[in-house]
Amino acid sequence: MAKKTLVSGVKPTGRIHIGNYFGAMRQFVALQDSYHAMIFIADYHALTTERNPKTLREQTIAIAMDYLAIGLNPEKTLLFKQSDVPEVVELAWIFNCITTMPYLSRAHAYKDALAKDKEVNVGLFDYPMLMAADILIQDADAVPVGQDQKQHVEITRDTAEKFNRIYGDMFTLPEHLILSETETVPGIDGKKMSKSYGNIIPLFASDDEIEQSVMSIVTDSKGVGEPKNTEGDTLFSYHRLFSTGELPEIERRYREGGIGYKESKEMLIKNMRAFIAPLRERREDIAKDTARVTAILEKGGERARERARKKMSFIRERVGLS
Ligand code: AMP
Ligand code: TRP
């Protein structure tokens, strides 16, 4: 049977963190054998917030390096830059013309920006249409993401259905793939880990950064002997990710009492360092050969664009543009 297609991307807007990795990116690696995988760097989407061209360029190549460092294999996964497939912008325009303002006004990202009194540019408002185009232009069956992107995949399905209803069958309805245990990884302050909240632990953190981050994890004031909560506890939730071998023992000591937060943090620092060091070293090696990384993106971009062009020619025909 032909492999199903998987599409996902990450915005180049800051350092990748453990929320990105455990929520979304580790799925990219785990699924690259069983799917026809297409993973991109969402640089058009980053333009909704990033106005510095040098920063955007640097962060774009940085994400490509991150992808390689976590184990994406360019022989198996098509790695590319979103803007190397400009057809998505054309498709997003077509979607704009069949989507209403009230419908898009219900998107969380837009509502959050309004609630925070942020300036909302048209690109931010229209963000879900471009994302729908990224997914639908490649006929994706599956979209691995974290919980915060679930609504965007639902909007994508709605948009595909609406197009199919108006113009006849054209698009596959994609499914989101969300890992329930890590759908929302908390930040060191207990809120959702996010590049924009200043509460992240970088995936490629140095040993010092790991120590500083873990030491700033917010805990309650229970003493060593007191029983402690495992559910809803940020520190413990990181043990679930990094202390797998010792987890039953740590969990028992939390429940019964007999472990203090200081000791718990020290264990976490040790385990996190052991997990991150090899990733960081691989990342450092990859960064030595920027030309190779650029070449991988170029080649991936050509192949992704080729597929998108073919799909776009059917779409143009269907709506009456050709
Ligand atoms: P972004 O950095 O917004 O481009 O996000 C890239 C991917 O990481 C998306 O699939 C997000 O859903 C996922 N993600 C971001 N933050 C978290 C988090 N705190 N927990 C789980 N997944 C996340
Ligand atoms: N909106 C996604 C994020 O912020 C990035 C993204 C853009 C994406 N287009 C996509 C993810 C298509 C999956 C599929 O994380």
Side-chain angles (χ1 to χ4, degrees), residues 274-289:
F275 183 91
I276 288 180
L279 288 176
R280 196 180 56 226
E281 283 156 20
R282 202 162 346 138
R283 174 79 175 64
E284 282 161 9
D285 268 349
I286 289 163
K288 287 178 192 147
D289 193 353

Side-chain angles (χ1 to χ4, degrees), residues 85-185:
V85 186
E87 285 73 13
V88 293
V89 182
E90 184 183 0
L91 182 55
W93 176 256
I94 294 174
F95 290 158
N96 282 340
C97 299
I98 61 167
T99 303
T100 70
M101 303 264 294
Y103 176 79
L104 272 189
S105 307
R106 293 199 289 272
H108 300 312
Y110 168 68
K111 287 206 293 195
D112 288 353
L114 274 193
K116 288 184 191 135
D117 253 344
K118 283 198 203 149
E119 183 185 276
V120 180
N121 58 59
V122 178
L124 183 66
F125 182 72
D126 200 33
Y127 190 108
M129 293 292 98
L130 182 58
M131 180 157 163
D134 294 327
I135 296 168
L136 299 176
I137 208 165
Q138 304 294 355
D139 287 317
D141 299 288
V143 185
V145 283
Q147 168 68 26
D148 60 359
Q149 296 301 314
K150 184 176 174 201
Q151 190 195 32
H152 286 150
V153 182
E154 286 162 0
I155 294 176
T156 301
R157 290 171 63 95
D158 285 351
T159 307
E161 280 183 320
K162 189 154 188 194
F163 186 102
N164 290 350
R165 223 178 313 121
I166 300 173
Y167 292 108
D169 245 14
M170 173 62 67
F171 295 116
T172 311
L173 301 193
E175 308 281 346
H176 58 72
L177 300 179
I178 295 176
L179 297 169
S180 54
E181 343 64 273
T182 51
E183 60 179 26
T184 306
V185 176

